[in-house]
Amino acid sequence: PVVFEDDALLIIDKPAGQAVHGGSGVSYGVIEQLRVQRADVRLLELAHRLDRETSGLLIVAKKRSALAALHDMMREGRVDKHYITMVSGHWRNERQHIRQPLFKYLTSEGERRVRVQPDGKVAHSIVTLRRRWPSFSELGVELKTGRTHQIRVHLTHAGFPLLGDDKYGDFSLNKALARDANLQRMFLHAARLSFNHPLSGELISVEAPLPPELVAFRQWV
């Protein structure tokens, strides 16, 4: 679904399970699909990325000038990105800053992973408590930096793995939730974006509702 479009930008609501681009065993991602569907558009380039299992708002640039400006804005923290996630555990603080440096590495199988490490890249997440149950917590996360797997690694390192996370999560819990609650994906959704248009300066603020399968899981909880 297209959430916003003009002559410079396209913002879509990406479903979970779709890679944003080809590679790593995926030949056909969202950007390749868009280029086929929008063959009349001369340029379509990802302004940022979402993990395959993350749903929600994804910005695609239709002009080189918009792409360059967006990259500068993201590097300078001038794009507000808000996510919704549900984690295992009883999160206590109403609002908490996580500033933990993140280091990228490859596993022995050649898979990309990230861990908290002192010599990693600066990473900053702001976590707010949305709702709490005895065993789970629903959190809002605002990204001040955009590192690979940032939310997943920051929260898991804090002792609160994302439900359904197949890389950093609680694997036995994930298996039980898939069986008992039909949670077949990671509970992470890019819900809101707010930024000044890279060319016109106009304020762009868009939202994507929580997908039905995550709403259904929340009701089950």
Side-chain angles (χ1 to χ4, degrees):
V2 174
V3 178
F4 173 89
E5 184 171 11
D6 65 8
D7 60 350
L9 298 180
L10 174 66
I11 305 178
I12 62 168
D13 184 357
K14 183 188 88 68
Q18 280 197 292
V20 294
H21 59 77
S24 304
V26 178
S27 57
Y28 204 68
V30 169
I31 193 64
E32 289 84 8
Q33 192 177 327
L34 280 171
R35 285 169 182 158
V36 170
Q37 291 175 349
R38 303 290 191 96
D40 57 318
V41 181
R42 287 178 57 193
L43 179 93
L44 286 170
E45 293 286 352
L46 294 165
H48 63 117
R49 299 179 181 187
L50 293 178
D51 294 341
R52 188 190 303 192
E53 289 308 314
T54 304
S55 55
L57 297 167
L58 181 68
I59 308 172
V60 177
K62 296 164 70 177
K63 285 187 175 179
R64 189 74 57 191
S65 54
L67 181 66
L70 278 166
H71 283 163
D72 288 344
M73 290 164 65
M74 289 186 183
R75 194 163 47 245
E76 294 161 8
R78 291 187 286 125
V79 178
D80 291 333
K81 299 183 202 169
H82 294 261
Y83 291 73
I84 297 171
T85 186
M86 200 180 291
V87 299
S88 173
H90 200 70
W91 189 270
R92 297 197 177 279
N93 298 332
E94 290 295 321
R95 183 175 168 89
Q96 179 175 331
H97 290 257
I98 300 178
R99 293 181 177 91
Q100 298 277 10
L102 297 177
F103 177 80
K104 271 201 276 197
Y105 67 100
L106 290 177
T107 66
S108 54
E109 293 82 28
E111 277 200 68
R112 184 178 60 170
R113 287 283 193 283
V114 178
R115 64 179 172 237
V116 170
Q117 192 167 300
D119 60 346
K121 290 187 175 179
V122 170
H124 181 191
S125 307
I126 303 174
V127 184
T128 52
L129 178 64
R130 288 170 57 91
R131 195 170 170 189
R132 199 162 45 198
W133 295 265
S135 302
F136 305 130
S137 302
E138 184 178 291
L139 307 175
V141 184
E142 180 185 350
L143 290 186
K144 304 308 283 185
T145 54
R147 306 299 179 201
T148 300
H149 300 166
Q150 179 172 322
I151 294 172
R152 302 162 72 174
V153 176
H154 269 174
L155 289 174
T156 299
H157 184 77
F160 296 84
L162 274 62
L163 302 186
D165 187 345
D166 63 359
K167 279 188 169 69
Y168 307 100
D170 181 331
F171 305 130
S172 57
L173 174 61
N174 291 346
K175 200 171 177 181
L177 292 176
R179 182 189 65 235
D180 299 339
N182 198 33
L183 184 65
Q184 306 292 335
R185 55 160 292 191
M186 179 169 65
F187 201 121
L188 183 60
H189 178 66
R192 197 164 85 246
L193 280 170
S194 182
F195 59 97
N196 291 105
H197 193 286
L199 301 187
S200 71
E202 175 195 358
L203 179 64
I204 305 292
S205 189
V206 290
E207 295 191 25
L210 209 60
E213 68 273 14
L214 297 186
V215 172
F217 176 75
R218 184 201 264 162
Q219 290 168 344
W220 177 85
V221 173

